[in-house]
Amino acid sequence: DVDLANLDQRIEALLHDRRHLKLENQSLRQKLFRLTQERAQLQDKNLIAASKIKRVLSQLRSDINE
């Protein structure tokens, strides 16, 4: 009878842990999705900034050589 009660408690604890881990996993997946989007946006901004810098440097070189 004590073993059955212990087993029941253990099962309840495992079910609770499973629910908690499922929610945590869902939250982490959402965070990963958001961070992946943010990373892509930052990469785009970096490419645009690098292009602008190259254009300015090219213009400066052109101005110096005139």
Side-chain angles (χ1 to χ4, degrees):
D1 209 19
V2 172
D3 288 340
L4 190 55
N6 286 339
L7 181 58
D8 187 47
Q9 286 178 348
R10 182 69 178 134
I11 289 172
E12 287 300 320
L14 288 171
L15 289 172
H16 177 267
D17 290 348
R18 180 187 174 277
R19 286 188 295 270
H20 173 76
L21 289 171
K22 186 175 180 180
L23 290 173
E24 183 179 11
N25 189 34
Q26 184 180 23
S27 174
L28 289 170
R29 286 179 186 273
Q30 290 172 351
K31 184 175 183 179
L32 176 62
F33 179 76
R34 284 192 311 272
L35 290 173
T36 301
Q37 286 182 319
E38 182 181 342
R39 180 177 182 262
Q41 291 171 351
L42 290 172
Q43 286 176 324
D44 287 345
K45 286 181 180 181
N46 280 341
L47 287 174
I48 291 168
S51 175
K52 287 179 181 179
I53 290 170
K54 286 180 183 178
R55 195 168 49 244
V56 168
L57 289 175
S58 177
Q59 185 63 42
L60 287 173
R61 287 187 190 111
S62 177
D63 291 347
I64 290 173
N65 291 330
E66 289 181 0

